[in-house]
Amino acid sequence: MSGFTLETPFSMKGLQLRNRTVMAPMCQYSVTKKDGIANEWHYLHYTSRALGGIGLIIVEMTNVEPDGRISDQCLGLWSDDHIPALKRIVDAAHAHGAKIGIQIAHAGRKAQDAAQPVAPSAIAFDETYKQPRALTTDEVKDMVKKFGDATRRAVEAGFDTIELHGAHGYLMHQFHSPRTNTRDDEYGQDLTLFGREVIAEVKKHMPEDMPLLLRISALEYVEDGYGIDYGIELCRTYLEAGVDLLHISTGGEGTPTPAKRPKVEPGFQLEAAHAVKVALGVPVIAVGMLDDPHFAAEVLATGKSDLVAIGRGLLRDPYWAIHAIKETGGDFRAHVPTAYIRGY
């Protein structure tokens, strides 16, 4: 038993959270001008969750180059032009008591609107996706630098933490998965090399006291996919490379085979998160249908995870954190904006 509650503060390095609730990164597909720049939708979307009492907001997958987006409606950080709109969101989140991070990524072979996606190897996701081309070795090295450049911009925008996206079949995941990386150069001989180099590069641009998060698929669901033991070793390697906090998800690398298809129910990824936490002795964020307040509180109380990330529950209710803390008997009033107190 950990004794943690939803309202228990959390700290790591210079990051101090008012509670243990996290807004999971969720793509909004709302960049109407297709320029990667956050607009009024993104501002209202994230600010309302800060008002709603969430401890840490993680801004949706934000991409290091135009062809690294899932869609042309996704956010970008490939230019300094992206900084002002993101800074406005960061400043608003801070004004309402939340801390805010951003998930930096590249979709790789899952970049649906790219003329031709790029990937570690020329292997399509499935027959409905475009055939990617394999990045050259020099292009991989340039890609590492793009992650660093995006991080520098995120730091300039004022974000409190950076999360790398190493899950759900996107580029970093593609490099460390044996089924999607069949290269014969150094990045194929060591499947974690790309991820380790990205970690080293982004940390060059981060303040010393800023924690680095990694979202990772701890196991895959296809027949020839890796299991939890391989996933734990990936996590171990990335921690040694400089990651501070692991955000544990699963899958996304392909269509699950019937024998491995998970039953998608509350906490279906929780055992993977707990397995990583126990094996490596590090804090983890759990995610995956944890939006029932009592269940989320139990996850923390039993020590299965150190923080709980909420996705769709926060799409339905921007004030999920306040309502969840209230429902589980916590001091919710400390999280309610002064102007709203009379509503409670």
Side-chain angles (χ1 to χ4, degrees), residues 122-179:
I123 304 169
F125 182 77
D126 63 26
E127 64 279 359
T128 68
Y129 279 73
K130 295 172 184 173
Q131 178 71 25
R133 69 170 181 84
L135 291 159
T136 67
T137 302
D138 286 344
E139 286 175 329
V140 176
K141 295 183 184 301
D142 287 341
M143 188 70 73
V144 169
K145 293 177 182 176
K146 289 177 181 178
F147 275 82
D149 290 341
T151 299
R152 187 262 302 167
R153 296 180 184 111
V155 170
E156 287 187 23
F159 284 99
D160 301 294
T161 187
I162 304 296
E163 178 173 277
L164 295 175
H165 201 343
H168 304 163
Y170 299 117
L171 189 65
M172 189 172 171
H173 184 170
Q174 291 164 32
F175 267 96
H176 67 225
S177 176
R179 67 185 306 273

Side-chain angles (χ1 to χ4, degrees), residues 138-323:
D138 286 344
E139 286 175 329
V140 176
K141 295 183 184 301
D142 287 341
M143 188 70 73
V144 169
K145 293 177 182 176
K146 289 177 181 178
F147 275 82
D149 290 341
T151 299
R152 187 262 302 167
R153 296 180 184 111
V155 170
E156 287 187 23
F159 284 99
D160 301 294
T161 187
I162 304 296
E163 178 173 277
L164 295 175
H165 201 343
H168 304 163
Y170 299 117
L171 189 65
M172 189 172 171
H173 184 170
Q174 291 164 32
F175 267 96
H176 67 225
S177 176
R179 67 185 306 273
T180 48
N181 183 349
T182 60
R183 302 173 67 91
D184 56 12
D185 66 355
E186 58 193 296
Y187 294 100
Q189 293 159 13
D190 179 350
L191 301 192
T192 65
L193 180 59
F194 175 74
R196 290 188 291 109
E197 288 187 346
V198 167
I199 291 164
E201 182 66 25
V202 302
K203 286 181 76 72
K204 291 178 185 176
H205 301 275
M206 294 170 61
E208 189 84 19
D209 66 344
M210 179 184 286
L212 176 62
L213 280 58
L214 172 67
R215 198 176 210 195
I216 189 167
S217 289
L219 55 92
E220 297 179 331
Y221 294 125
V222 293
E223 191 59 44
D224 57 346
Y226 62 76
I228 188 63
D229 290 343
Y230 182 85
I232 288 171
E233 290 310 308
L234 287 175
C235 291
R236 188 191 309 277
T237 297
Y238 291 141
L239 286 167
E240 291 172 353
V243 166
D244 297 294
L245 182 61
L246 295 162
H247 188 174
I248 305 299
S249 190
T250 60
E253 78 296 337
T255 303
T257 55
K260 286 195 169 187
R261 184 182 298 275
K263 184 178 181 181
V264 181
E265 59 185 2
F268 75 101
Q269 298 180 135
L270 187 56
E271 289 310 312
H274 190 225
V276 171
K277 177 178 170 63
V278 170
L280 302 179
V282 295
V284 298
I285 305 172
V287 67
M289 298 183 71
L290 303 178
D291 48 290
D292 176 85
H294 293 283
F295 185 59
E298 182 184 357
V299 168
L300 296 174
T302 56
K304 290 290 183 72
S305 179
D306 299 271
L307 300 104
V308 289
I310 308 301
R312 289 171 176 82
L314 273 165
L315 295 183
R316 295 189 295 270
D317 179 7
Y319 300 89
W320 182 91
I322 292 172
H323 297 156

Side-chain angles (χ1 to χ4, degrees), residues 4-8 19-21 293 296-297 300 308 320 324-325 328:
F4 297 141
T5 66
L6 291 171
E7 63 180 311
T8 304
N19 59 51
R20 292 182 180 245
T21 66
L300 296 174
V308 289
W320 182 91
I325 291 169
T328 54

